[in-house]
Amino acid sequence: DAGVTQSPTHLIKTRGQQVTLRCSPISGHKSVSWYQQVLGQGPQFIFQYYEKEERGRGNFPDRFSARQFPNYSSELNVNALLLGDSALYLCASSLMTVSYEQYFGPGTRLTVT
Amino acid sequence: TQLLEQSPQFLSIQEGENLTVYCNSSSVFSSLQWYRQEPGEGPVLLVTVVTGGEVKKLKRLTFQFGDARKDSSLHITAAQTGDTGLYLCAGAGGYSSASKIIFGSGTRLSIRP
């Protein structure tokens, strides 16, 4: 079975631009979460979606938005990019059980210049 | 604000030695997960603990959830060079949001041959 897939793997953007990152969950998983991981730190929670509805939001500005599609894939959009948005963006899928186990994709490395 | 503190931040030991990594919080979690992350990749789930006082073993790795479900430890026996990586703990289901997963900042482990 395929794991969580993310695209693109790497991306270079300039300040002020907009970016869209994509994620496909494990088959059968209806929940997708997005995380930002800056070098040397643990992942920071951005959003969680379940059954196409937002179920959780972290402390990120409104420049960050996301959505989940009927096939449970998801997109993360970031507008008006800042240098500080440079990070590894991780997507995780889960079955939304009480244990909250998540399975991560390989991430998208975003560099803002 | 929920926080998970991991210690130590960095650990470098000789192959064959034992080590313990700690994950502490002032908050109660419904579950706690441990992940291992290689450079440029997404975190890989090692274990989930749910019950206070629970102990789980994964070959040479022993995970324990504190009785009050606020802390956890990871003990590695007879470390091998393949254990090198970033170890992350993550708490879920805290009082503030059932859908928010909080990660610690990680322990970077290096096993010398």
Side-chain angles (χ1 to χ4, degrees):
Chain A
D1 285 344
V4 177
T5 59
Q6 292 187 243
S7 63
T9 53
H10 296 85
L11 204 50
I12 299 175
K13 292 283 189 178
T14 56
R15 279 175 295 177
Q17 285 188 314
Q18 175 263 340
V19 68
T20 298
L21 311 180
R22 295 177 177 81
C23 171
S24 291
I26 292 171
S27 178
H29 286 194
K30 298 180 179 180
S31 175
V32 168
S33 297
W34 287 96
Y35 294 83
Q36 179 196 67
Q37 187 176 25
V38 175
L39 199 61
Q41 296 183 17
Q44 296 293 310
F45 175 77
I46 308 176
F47 287 110
Q48 184 188 48
Y49 277 78
Y50 177 68
E51 290 278 20
K52 296 169 287 181
E53 292 190 0
E54 182 183 302
R55 289 297 188 93
R57 173 186 283 256
N59 295 325
F60 281 81
D62 293 342
R63 299 184 296 107
F64 289 76
S65 64
R67 56 179 174 169
Q68 187 176 32
F69 299 99
N71 66 353
Y72 304 112
S73 67
S74 178
E75 286 183 350
L76 175 70
N77 296 283
V78 186
N79 294 322
L81 285 167
L82 304 173
L83 294 179
D85 294 331
S86 295
L88 181 68
Y89 287 84
L90 295 162
C91 171
S93 76
S94 73
L95 287 168
M96 280 292 278
T97 62
V98 67
S99 61
Y100 291 95
E101 290 181 346
Q102 298 184 101
Y103 298 88
F104 283 84
T108 293
R109 171 70 62 186
L110 172 65
T111 302
V112 182
T113 62
Chain B
T1 303
Q2 292 178 291
L3 287 173
L4 270 174
E5 296 185 355
Q6 286 188 243
S7 61
Q9 283 186 288
F10 301 95
L11 186 58
S12 178
I13 63 171
Q14 205 73 30
E15 191 171 31
E17 294 182 352
N18 301 332
L19 67 108
T20 302
V21 174
Y22 299 94
C23 177
N24 295 294
S25 176
S26 58
S27 303
V28 175
F29 293 100
S30 298
S31 70
L32 196 139
Q33 294 123 35
W34 285 92
Y35 296 83
R36 189 174 120 200
Q37 186 176 23
E38 303 284 352
E41 298 179 9
V44 175
L45 179 66
L46 296 175
V47 78
T48 299
V49 284
V50 177
T51 306
E54 183 177 4
V55 176
K56 280 192 175 179
K57 292 194 174 184
L58 186 66
K59 296 183 181 178
R60 294 175 293 100
L61 279 59
T62 302
F63 305 85
Q64 184 162 7
F65 202 11
D67 291 341
R69 292 186 287 130
K70 293 182 179 181
D71 54 85
S72 181
S73 64
L74 158 60
H75 182 80
I76 301 179
T77 303
Q80 299 177 357
T81 55
D83 295 328
T84 293
L86 178 67
Y87 287 82
L88 296 159
C89 65
Y95 69 90
S96 64
S97 170
S99 297
K100 183 180 288 187
I101 313 295
I102 307 296
F103 274 85
S105 56
T107 293
R108 189 160 299 282
L109 177 62
S110 174
I111 309 299
R112 303 188 303 273

mmCIF file of all heavy atoms in Angstrom, chain A residues 70-88:
data_model
loop_
_atom_site.group_PDB
_atom_site.id
_atom_site.type_symbol
_atom_site.label_atom_id
_atom_site.label_comp_id
_atom_site.label_asym_id
_atom_site.label_seq_id
_atom_site.Cartn_x
_atom_site.Cartn_y
_atom_site.Cartn_z
ATOM 1 N N PRO A 70 -13.023 15.799 -1.780
ATOM 2 C CA PRO A 70 -13.845 14.595 -1.551
ATOM 3 C C PRO A 70 -13.045 13.301 -1.527
ATOM 4 O O PRO A 70 -13.457 12.326 -0.890
ATOM 5 C CB PRO A 70 -14.837 14.626 -2.711
ATOM 6 C CG PRO A 70 -14.987 16.080 -3.027
ATOM 7 C CD PRO A 70 -13.611 16.665 -2.811
ATOM 8 N N ASN A 71 -11.902 13.254 -2.211
ATOM 9 C CA ASN A 71 -11.089 12.028 -2.191
ATOM 10 C C ASN A 71 -10.100 12.051 -1.017
ATOM 11 O O ASN A 71 -9.225 11.195 -0.936
ATOM 12 C CB ASN A 71 -10.338 11.844 -3.507
ATOM 13 C CG ASN A 71 -9.297 12.925 -3.743
ATOM 14 O OD1 ASN A 71 -9.209 13.897 -2.976
ATOM 15 N ND2 ASN A 71 -8.520 12.778 -4.794
ATOM 16 N N TYR A 72 -10.269 13.014 -0.102
ATOM 17 C CA TYR A 72 -9.486 13.177 1.140
ATOM 18 C C TYR A 72 -8.080 13.726 0.918
ATOM 19 O O TYR A 72 -7.350 13.907 1.890
ATOM 20 C CB TYR A 72 -9.438 11.888 1.956
ATOM 21 C CG TYR A 72 -10.811 11.369 2.271
ATOM 22 C CD1 TYR A 72 -11.286 10.189 1.702
ATOM 23 C CD2 TYR A 72 -11.655 12.094 3.104
ATOM 24 C CE1 TYR A 72 -12.575 9.735 1.965
ATOM 25 C CE2 TYR A 72 -12.946 11.651 3.360
ATOM 26 C CZ TYR A 72 -13.396 10.474 2.790
ATOM 27 O OH TYR A 72 -14.668 10.039 3.035
ATOM 28 N N SER A 73 -7.697 13.984 -0.325
ATOM 29 C CA SER A 73 -6.430 14.675 -0.539
ATOM 30 C C SER A 73 -6.571 16.106 -0.040
ATOM 31 O O SER A 73 -7.694 16.580 0.225
ATOM 32 C CB SER A 73 -6.029 14.643 -2.011
ATOM 33 O OG SER A 73 -6.937 15.417 -2.780
ATOM 34 N N SER A 74 -5.444 16.789 0.096
ATOM 35 C CA SER A 74 -5.490 18.119 0.692
ATOM 36 C C SER A 74 -4.478 19.039 0.040
ATOM 37 O O SER A 74 -3.479 18.590 -0.539
ATOM 38 C CB SER A 74 -5.212 18.012 2.198
ATOM 39 O OG SER A 74 -5.191 19.284 2.815
ATOM 40 N N GLU A 75 -4.761 20.329 0.104
ATOM 41 C CA GLU A 75 -3.835 21.363 -0.342
ATOM 42 C C GLU A 75 -3.595 22.348 0.788
ATOM 43 O O GLU A 75 -4.526 22.680 1.534
ATOM 44 C CB GLU A 75 -4.407 22.131 -1.545
ATOM 45 C CG GLU A 75 -4.393 21.372 -2.848
ATOM 46 C CD GLU A 75 -4.907 22.216 -3.995
ATOM 47 O OE1 GLU A 75 -5.442 23.327 -3.756
ATOM 48 O OE2 GLU A 75 -4.786 21.747 -5.135
ATOM 49 N N LEU A 76 -2.354 22.797 0.899
ATOM 50 C CA LEU A 76 -1.999 23.879 1.817
ATOM 51 C C LEU A 76 -1.561 25.062 0.963
ATOM 52 O O LEU A 76 -0.704 24.913 0.086
ATOM 53 C CB LEU A 76 -0.856 23.452 2.744
ATOM 54 C CG LEU A 76 -0.309 24.540 3.672
ATOM 55 C CD1 LEU A 76 -1.323 24.909 4.751
ATOM 56 C CD2 LEU A 76 1.012 24.094 4.323
ATOM 57 N N ASN A 77 -2.160 26.213 1.194
ATOM 58 C CA ASN A 77 -1.818 27.431 0.469
ATOM 59 C C ASN A 77 -1.179 28.437 1.421
ATOM 60 O O ASN A 77 -1.650 28.618 2.551
ATOM 61 C CB ASN A 77 -3.061 28.065 -0.155
ATOM 62 C CG ASN A 77 -3.689 27.176 -1.194
ATOM 63 O OD1 ASN A 77 -3.206 27.064 -2.314
ATOM 64 N ND2 ASN A 77 -4.762 26.502 -0.828
ATOM 65 N N VAL A 78 -0.136 29.067 0.948
ATOM 66 C CA VAL A 78 0.483 30.133 1.718
ATOM 67 C C VAL A 78 0.615 31.341 0.800
ATOM 68 O O VAL A 78 1.216 31.252 -0.276
ATOM 69 C CB VAL A 78 1.872 29.746 2.266
ATOM 70 C CG1 VAL A 78 2.398 30.845 3.196
ATOM 71 C CG2 VAL A 78 1.824 28.409 2.988
ATOM 72 N N ASN A 79 0.018 32.466 1.216
ATOM 73 C CA ASN A 79 0.070 33.702 0.440
ATOM 74 C C ASN A 79 1.138 34.643 0.983
ATOM 75 O O ASN A 79 1.561 34.513 2.136
ATOM 76 C CB ASN A 79 -1.283 34.412 0.503
ATOM 77 C CG ASN A 79 -2.375 33.621 -0.181
ATOM 78 O OD1 ASN A 79 -2.154 33.003 -1.223
ATOM 79 N ND2 ASN A 79 -3.557 33.634 0.401
ATOM 80 N N ALA A 80 1.529 35.595 0.144
ATOM 81 C CA ALA A 80 2.453 36.655 0.565
ATOM 82 C C ALA A 80 3.632 36.080 1.343
ATOM 83 O O ALA A 80 3.872 36.453 2.498
ATOM 84 C CB ALA A 80 1.704 37.687 1.404
ATOM 85 N N LEU A 81 4.357 35.190 0.686
ATOM 86 C CA LEU A 81 5.447 34.474 1.352
ATOM 87 C C LEU A 81 6.485 35.405 1.976
ATOM 88 O O LEU A 81 6.849 36.440 1.399
ATOM 89 C CB LEU A 81 6.136 33.551 0.345
ATOM 90 C CG LEU A 81 5.366 32.278 -0.021
ATOM 91 C CD1 LEU A 81 5.976 31.623 -1.246
ATOM 92 C CD2 LEU A 81 5.316 31.326 1.156
ATOM 93 N N LEU A 82 6.934 34.995 3.156
ATOM 94 C CA LEU A 82 8.004 35.688 3.873
ATOM 95 C C LEU A 82 9.219 34.767 3.955
ATOM 96 O O LEU A 82 9.087 33.549 3.836
ATOM 97 C CB LEU A 82 7.553 36.053 5.292
ATOM 98 C CG LEU A 82 6.285 36.888 5.410
ATOM 99 C CD1 LEU A 82 5.890 37.022 6.883
ATOM 100 C CD2 LEU A 82 6.493 38.256 4.791
ATOM 101 N N LEU A 83 10.387 35.376 4.189
ATOM 102 C CA LEU A 83 11.595 34.558 4.314
ATOM 103 C C LEU A 83 11.428 33.511 5.423
ATOM 104 O O LEU A 83 11.903 32.372 5.297
ATOM 105 C CB LEU A 83 12.804 35.450 4.625
ATOM 106 C CG LEU A 83 13.230 36.423 3.531
ATOM 107 C CD1 LEU A 83 14.434 37.253 4.013
ATOM 108 C CD2 LEU A 83 13.568 35.708 2.241
ATOM 109 N N GLY A 84 10.729 33.878 6.474
ATOM 110 C CA GLY A 84 10.533 32.980 7.610
ATOM 111 C C GLY A 84 9.633 31.795 7.322
ATOM 112 O O GLY A 84 9.500 30.901 8.161
ATOM 113 N N ASP A 85 8.998 31.786 6.145
ATOM 114 C CA ASP A 85 8.159 30.642 5.774
ATOM 115 C C ASP A 85 8.995 29.493 5.222
ATOM 116 O O ASP A 85 8.471 28.404 4.965
ATOM 117 C CB ASP A 85 7.114 31.063 4.728
ATOM 118 C CG ASP A 85 6.105 32.055 5.271
ATOM 119 O OD1 ASP A 85 5.837 32.028 6.494
ATOM 120 O OD2 ASP A 85 5.598 32.873 4.472
ATOM 121 N N SER A 86 10.291 29.728 5.036
ATOM 122 C CA SER A 86 11.175 28.660 4.569
ATOM 123 C C SER A 86 11.205 27.544 5.604
ATOM 124 O O SER A 86 11.535 27.778 6.773
ATOM 125 C CB SER A 86 12.588 29.197 4.346
ATOM 126 O OG SER A 86 12.607 30.142 3.306
ATOM 127 N N ALA A 87 10.855 26.342 5.179
ATOM 128 C CA ALA A 87 10.740 25.226 6.125
ATOM 129 C C ALA A 87 10.412 23.952 5.367
ATOM 130 O O ALA A 87 10.181 23.971 4.157
ATOM 131 C CB ALA A 87 9.642 25.502 7.148
ATOM 132 N N LEU A 88 10.385 22.847 6.102
ATOM 133 C CA LEU A 88 9.874 21.582 5.584
ATOM 134 C C LEU A 88 8.406 21.504 5.976
ATOM 135 O O LEU A 88 8.065 21.604 7.158
ATOM 136 C CB LEU A 88 10.653 20.407 6.187
ATOM 137 C CG LEU A 88 10.252 19.004 5.735
ATOM 138 C CD1 LEU A 88 10.602 18.793 4.262
ATOM 139 C CD2 LEU A 88 10.936 17.948 6.598
#
